[in-house]
Amino acid sequence: MTQTAHSSEPNSVRLVAVASFIGTTIEWYDFFLYGTAAALVFNRLFFPTFDPLMGTLAAFGTYAVGFVARPVGGIVIGHYGDKIGRKSMLVLTLVVMGVATFLIGLLPTYEQIGPWAAVGLVLLRVAQGFGVGGEWGGAVLMAVEHAPPGTRGYYGSWPQIGVPAGLVISTAVFAVFSRLPEEQFLSWGWRVPFLLSALLVVVGLMIRVRILETPAFTKVKEAAREAHQPIIEVLKTYPKQVLLAMGARFGENGAFYIYSVFVLTYATQHVKMPQQVVLTAMLIGAGLELIAIPFFGAMSDRFGRRPVYLFGAIATALWAYPMFRLLDTASPPLVWLALIVAFVFSHAAMYGPQAAFFSELFGTRVRYSGASLGAQLAAVLAGGTSPFIATLLLANYGTNALSLYLIFMAAVTIVAVLLASETHRDHID
């Protein structure tokens, strides 16, 4: 039986979907650990000479550096993913992410080596950004290009589930160790979640090496039609699609990092609520996304990518004011409600159909490069900077400015999706 035929069997599609989900979960576990640590401890460990506000800004600044590296990873890994194949690049990105995360757990702090600690933190964050920048495109293409017709939204959502799954696991692990006495937590407790990454990467590699190359890329490879310079071909042939993908990603990615990273700082430093309350709220919201993302992915197969995506973008704008008002109450049930609605109806509705939507914008020869470029450039402009910008807005203009910022990002996405064509009935080849 040929690889192409075998890859199109239902059991193979499910295996690929599960493998994409598990591998992506591990990669995002690594990436989100940094965000949680940046919000809660890195200001004290790596920037102790700064006042609390400047220390938080510096920690979020190193956090943003990882996003700057993501387009580089998307371009480099996407280039070889379009020339060599999707599978081999996914193995490479998992190794890069795992090694960088493990080394963060071993990194000396400012007290031990002074300013060089921050330099090491930035370099390892760049490696994380490079790895996850190349990971996303390959993971979603493995699922989308294996999916039978009419199911690309559903199967493409499986690697997307890895994001809330990684957030749930990283937040849960960090929450366990944050219960240690503060001295122990700052001394060694924060390191353990990073060191555990080594075990997860081994599991991920064992799963990823078993999956086959996608049928769509196999056809291109067998016909010797690979793009010689994929990124150049993308920019010449699909410039509009790159811009539309960036715009569609803007509200989803920017809002998500407000919900998953900045909210920790807002709740603990501004509202003065215990960090366990907001960590629990994040766990519940992200946990429910494990169901909501595939649901909205499947809905996009039935009703189209654009209607479902627009629902999420509009929900983001409408929830921008109520969410912060509920957080300000410091009431656990209302804080939970604030983040559950944000994750489930705002983020999941955009993130569920996103993998299929972006993949369908580009031809097979350059799909890895095109989808990665659009998604990761937006991640720099929206996701990577949103906690930093939100911290500045809160310090200078108050909570209302945060709501307006979310509405602005959602508006960019609404315009981009309205300008895009519906793609859910297009052939993947």
Side-chain angles (χ1 to χ4, degrees):
M1 181 178 290
T2 66
Q3 177 171 301
T4 302
H6 176 75
S7 299
S8 61
E9 293 178 356
N11 287 336
S12 179
V13 174
R14 287 193 286 270
L15 173 63
V16 170
V18 172
S20 296
F21 161 65
I22 293 174
T24 306
T25 298
I26 294 169
E27 295 241 13
W28 285 104
Y29 167 84
D30 291 350
F31 201 74
F32 285 136
L33 272 181
Y34 193 103
T36 305
L40 298 178
V41 299
F42 279 174
N43 58 333
R44 288 185 282 177
L45 294 173
F46 293 93
F47 307 99
T49 60
F50 294 8
D51 64 51
L53 172 61
M54 293 306 297
T56 300
L57 286 172
F60 281 151
T62 64
Y63 177 76
V65 165
F67 286 80
V68 176
R70 283 171 66 170
V72 180
I75 291 170
V76 174
I77 301 297
H79 172 86
Y80 290 103
D82 282 326
K83 290 179 70 68
I84 299 174
R86 288 46 166 138
K87 175 182 173 178
S88 56
M89 293 302 102
L90 287 178
V91 172
L92 174 63
T93 59
L94 189 58
V95 171
V96 170
M97 278 291 287
V99 170
T101 304
F102 182 79
L103 290 178
I104 290 174
L106 299 177
L107 196 64
T109 63
Y110 183 93
E111 183 179 340
Q112 295 165 308
I113 60 173
W116 288 106
V119 173
L121 190 65
V122 169
L123 292 176
L124 291 174
R125 183 58 175 174
V126 167
Q128 278 194 323
F130 182 89
V132 83
E135 152 76 15
W136 182 84
V140 301
L141 294 192
M142 287 299 291
V144 170
E145 291 184 348
H146 274 96
T151 63
R152 293 195 299 264
Y154 172 70
Y155 282 110
S157 70
W158 276 75
Q160 305 288 75
I161 306 172
V163 172
L167 178 61
V168 166
I169 297 171
S170 65
T171 304
V173 172
F174 215 90
V176 169
F177 285 94
S178 70
R179 294 178 183 273
L180 290 168
E182 185 176 36
E183 183 179 349
Q184 294 182 32
F185 178 61
L186 293 176
S187 174
W188 60 267
W190 71 271
R191 297 181 182 275
V192 179
F194 288 90
L195 298 177
L196 288 175
S197 173
L199 297 176
L200 296 177
V201 168
V202 171
V203 173
L205 288 174
M206 291 174 62
I207 294 170
R208 280 198 166 168
V209 296
R210 295 180 57 198
I211 58 178
L212 299 171
E213 188 54 81
T214 72
F217 182 77
T218 300
K219 292 178 183 178
V220 169
K221 193 77 172 176
E222 290 174 348
R225 292 192 295 107
E226 305 97 320
H228 295 293
Q229 297 292 334
I231 193 64
I232 302 299
E233 187 171 323
V234 164
L235 295 175
K236 286 183 176 179
T237 311
Y238 300 99
K240 177 183 176 182
Q241 286 83 349
V242 170
L243 291 174
L244 291 176
M246 287 177 61
R249 176 90 155 145
F250 208 87
E252 171 270 313
N253 202 239
F256 180 76
Y257 287 101
I258 296 291
Y259 305 153
S260 63
V261 176
F262 173 74
V263 159
L264 281 168
T265 297
Y266 183 85
T268 57
Q269 296 185 19
H270 181 72
V271 183
K272 307 297 184 183
M273 73 174 73
Q275 67 184 32
Q276 290 299 329
V277 173
V278 70
L279 285 172
T280 300
M282 287 173 56
L283 282 172
I284 296 171
L288 290 173
E289 271 206 294
L290 300 177
I291 301 170
I293 286 176
F295 170 78
F296 285 115
M299 289 300 98
S300 76
D301 286 326
R302 182 172 182 180
F303 300 108
R305 315 295 182 221
R306 294 167 74 244
V308 177
Y309 213 109
L310 284 170
F311 172 83
I314 293 170
T316 302
L318 293 177
W319 195 241
Y321 275 97
M323 184 184 76
F324 286 107
R325 300 293 85 74
L326 292 173
L327 290 174
D328 287 342
T329 67
S331 167
L334 295 180
V335 171
W336 298 345
L337 175 63
L339 290 181
I340 287 171
V341 173
F343 279 113
V344 173
F345 296 100
S346 163
H347 182 255
M350 292 183 282
Y351 208 54
Q354 186 181 93
F357 192 20
F358 287 13
S359 299
E360 291 159 353
L361 293 174
F362 303 93
T364 303
R365 283 162 46 92
V366 296
R367 184 171 291 130
Y368 203 141
S369 297
S372 296
L373 184 63
Q376 302 310 331
L377 284 175
V380 176
L381 298 174
T385 57
S386 63
F388 185 88
I389 292 173
T391 301
L392 285 176
L393 289 174
L394 179 62
N396 292 285
Y397 303 104
T399 304
N400 285 343
L402 299 176
S403 300
L404 290 173
Y405 180 45
L406 276 173
I407 292 170
F408 164 73
M409 291 190 290
V412 172
T413 289
I414 290 169
V415 171
V417 175
L418 288 174
L419 292 175
S421 301
E422 182 56 67
T423 60
H424 78 294
R425 298 192 186 280
D426 294 350
H427 197 282
I428 194 65
D429 294 329

